[in-house]
């Protein structure tokens, strides 16, 4: 070991180190080179310096000076390379994030209300003018509220009117859960939670075990109306529904009551409007009768009032229930109920 060979080693080390630094394509490679050449513990430079003790004492300062010079040169190259890599990374990122602010904007497509929502809001708006307030009621209902409290006992033949989907889940009190077959159980919830005078509107989704076709869905929408007050009569019901039909289908539209049957009303009626397709002449849409039934209604049965905690000797009420899908189909000339829930944009975009 002599001065000349150590100097040559250091010169070679310097060259290799600078080459490795220049070749480093990323921070990881750069740090590997740093550790390999100028790392304090394992670096090649440290290894050379360890051998310095074998040199004559007068040569050592010279070698130390060269070694320092090599370390400084390599560290400077590393610092430069590190800055350069950072600049490259920034350029790459900026290129990726580049935005051409001169491009025209992407158009935001304007949405619209679903025809069932729009129709529900219009119905609520009209009844709202008569003081009716919108309430919500659950879609998963109990047998007792969907049927029993509405004067439809278990095993009563009237249950055949509603093909029911039951929910297979236990309850605390042995009541059976089901998907509500109509919005009428909402009547019971409103009566039990508020006091007369009541003017309630209850829109929502209902479910029946139906064979699906153009006019029947197993999911459909109804809106229930309930008015309870002193001195409420069938004439109020008739007048209110007339106003409603005229607001929705035009002022001159003839209407009529027909006798009907529902267990929760007495008397019960069907409310018809003159066919909006043929104006009464008779066509396939109205079964050639010239009339279309748009809802069922009646005076709330005293048993139902009592179940709602209301004294039928003091208060009377009327109720009605209407299919929103059918109303929307009439308003927009839609001929198949299945369009509503298919979520086909070609259908929905038309509203
Ligand atoms: N709940 C009945 C049905 O789904 C509709 C109905 C009829 C509701 C008469 C009423 C009513 O409130 O009074 O077929």
């Amino acid at each position: 070991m002599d001065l000349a060979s150590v100097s040559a080693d250091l010169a070679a080390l310097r060259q290799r180190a600078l080459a490795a630094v220049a070749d480093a394509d990323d921070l990881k490679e750069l740090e590997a080179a740093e550790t390999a050449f100028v790392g304090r513990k394992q670096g090649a430079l440290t290894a050379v310096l360890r051998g310095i003790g074998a040199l004559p004492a007068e040569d050592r300062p010279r070698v130390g000076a060269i070694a320092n010079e090599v370390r400084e040169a390599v560290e400077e190259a590393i610092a430069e390379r590190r800055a350069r890599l950072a600049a490259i990374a920034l350029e790459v990122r900026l290129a990726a994030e580049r935005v051409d602010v001169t491009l025209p904007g992407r158009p935001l497509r304007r949405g619209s209300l679903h025809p069932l929502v729009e129709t529900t809001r219009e119905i609520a708006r009209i009844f709202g003018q008569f003081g009716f307030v919108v309430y919500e009621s659950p879609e998963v209902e109990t047998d007792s509220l969907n049927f029993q409290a509405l004067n439809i006992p278990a095993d009563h033949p009237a249950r055949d009117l509603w093909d029911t989907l039951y929910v297979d889940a236990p309850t605390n009190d042995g009541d059976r859960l089901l998907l509500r077959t109509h919005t009428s159980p909402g009547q019971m919830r409103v009566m039990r939670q508020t006091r007369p005078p009541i003017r309630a509107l209850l829109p929502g989704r209902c479910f029946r075990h139906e064979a699906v076709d153009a006019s029947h869905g197993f999911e459909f929408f109804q809106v229930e109306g309930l008015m309870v007050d002193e001195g409420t009569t069938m004439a109020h019901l008739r007048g209110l529904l007339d106003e409603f039909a005229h607001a929705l289908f035009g002022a001159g539209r003839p209407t009529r009551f027909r006798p009907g049957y529902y267990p929760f009303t007495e008397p019960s009626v069907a409310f018809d409007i003159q066919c909006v397709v043929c104006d009464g002449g008779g066509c396939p849409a109205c079964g050639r009768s010239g009339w279309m039934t748009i809802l069922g209604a009646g005076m709330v049965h005293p048993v139902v009032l009592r179940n709602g905690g209301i004294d039928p000797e003091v208060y009377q009420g009327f109720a009605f229930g209407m299919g929103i899908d059918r109303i929307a189909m009439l308003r927009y000339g839609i001929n198949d109920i299945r369009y509503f829930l298919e979520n086909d944009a070609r259908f929905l975009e038309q509203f």
Side-chain angles (χ1 to χ4, degrees):
M1 179 76 90
D2 59 20
L3 180 58
S5 75
V6 176
S7 300
D9 282 353
L10 285 172
L13 189 153
R14 176 195 170 115
Q15 260 192 9
R16 277 186 287 124
L18 291 180
V21 168
D23 281 351
D25 286 328
D26 56 35
L27 270 185
K28 227 177 116 194
E29 282 182 36
L30 185 61
E31 274 158 18
E34 187 171 30
T35 310
F37 292 102
V38 292
R40 300 275 158 191
K41 283 190 181 150
Q42 317 272 331
L45 189 62
T46 304
V48 172
L49 289 178
R50 269 197 201 112
I52 213 170
L55 289 174
E58 67 272 20
D59 288 340
R60 288 181 203 161
R62 178 84 191 103
V63 172
I66 297 173
N68 273 338
E69 197 265 330
V70 169
R71 179 180 298 283
E72 271 165 32
V74 173
E75 282 176 353
E76 195 184 305
I78 288 171
E80 271 170 24
R81 187 68 191 149
R82 182 170 276 128
R84 179 72 196 123
L85 287 176
I88 291 171
L90 183 65
E91 270 169 41
V92 168
R93 212 187 84 209
L94 287 181
E97 291 177 2
R98 193 185 139 98
V99 177
D100 183 349
V101 293
T102 66
L103 283 176
R106 294 203 181 96
L108 282 180
R109 293 215 299 171
R110 189 160 172 229
S112 58
L113 291 179
H114 190 283
L116 288 175
V117 172
E118 197 277 329
T119 299
T120 305
R121 289 195 186 176
E122 179 61 6
I123 293 168
R125 188 190 68 77
I126 294 168
F127 283 108
Q129 292 180 322
F130 296 94
F132 281 73
V133 174
V134 172
Y135 289 78
E136 284 189 341
S137 189
E139 293 174 359
V140 177
E141 195 42 282
T142 60
D143 185 285
S144 70
L145 291 186
N146 194 81
F147 290 124
Q148 292 166 48
L150 294 172
N151 203 26
I152 313 166
D155 306 320
H156 191 281
R159 288 215 179 189
D160 289 351
L161 292 175
W162 297 277
D163 293 314
T164 308
L165 294 159
Y166 287 91
V167 175
D168 188 11
T171 55
N172 293 331
D173 54 6
D175 207 348
R176 230 173 145 187
L177 292 178
L178 47 77
L179 298 181
R180 66 175 172 192
T181 58
H182 50 180
T183 44
S184 303
Q187 288 187 34
M188 200 50 55
R189 291 178 177 272
V190 170
M191 282 193 269
R192 289 181 182 178
Q193 278 164 34
T194 64
R195 293 289 90 205
I198 292 169
R199 292 183 196 189
L201 213 57
L202 291 137
R205 196 186 292 257
C206 303
F207 308 84
R208 285 184 203 172
H209 186 263
E210 292 278 0
V212 173
D213 63 23
S215 50
H216 297 85
F218 67 89
E219 269 179 289
F220 55 97
F221 292 78
Q222 283 193 343
V223 57
E224 191 82 8
L226 173 69
M227 168 145 176
V228 180
D229 204 346
E230 290 178 61
T232 309
T233 72
M234 195 96 167
H236 297 136
L237 173 63
R238 183 82 173 92
L240 176 70
L241 293 181
D242 250 13
E243 291 295 334
F244 167 72
H246 293 157
L248 205 58
F249 295 106
R253 182 67 37 192
T255 66
R256 72 177 186 189
F257 267 4
R258 275 187 303 121
Y261 170 73
Y262 296 99
F264 29 87
T265 42
E266 181 59 40
S268 305
V269 295
F271 181 65
D272 296 351
I273 59 170
Q274 189 188 62
C275 177
V276 296
V277 177
C278 65
D279 287 331
C283 69
C286 58
R288 315 216 168 269
S289 71
W291 295 91
M292 297 175 141
T293 302
I294 62 166
L295 57 84
M299 299 306 291
V300 181
H301 199 290
V303 166
V304 174
L305 286 174
R306 226 173 273 127
N307 288 339
I310 290 169
D311 183 354
E313 301 299 329
V314 180
Y315 295 103
Q316 304 76 42
F318 61 70
F320 56 86
M322 127 175 73
I324 298 175
D325 305 71
R326 178 149 166 76
I327 301 283
M329 288 168 80
L330 291 177
R331 291 181 79 212
Y332 293 113
I334 296 165
N335 58 14
D336 194 319
I337 195 173
R338 289 170 287 198
Y339 286 131
F340 287 129
L341 297 181
E342 270 174 1
N343 277 343
D344 187 329
R346 290 169 300 181
F347 170 76
L348 296 172
E349 270 166 4
Q350 298 177 46
F351 302 96

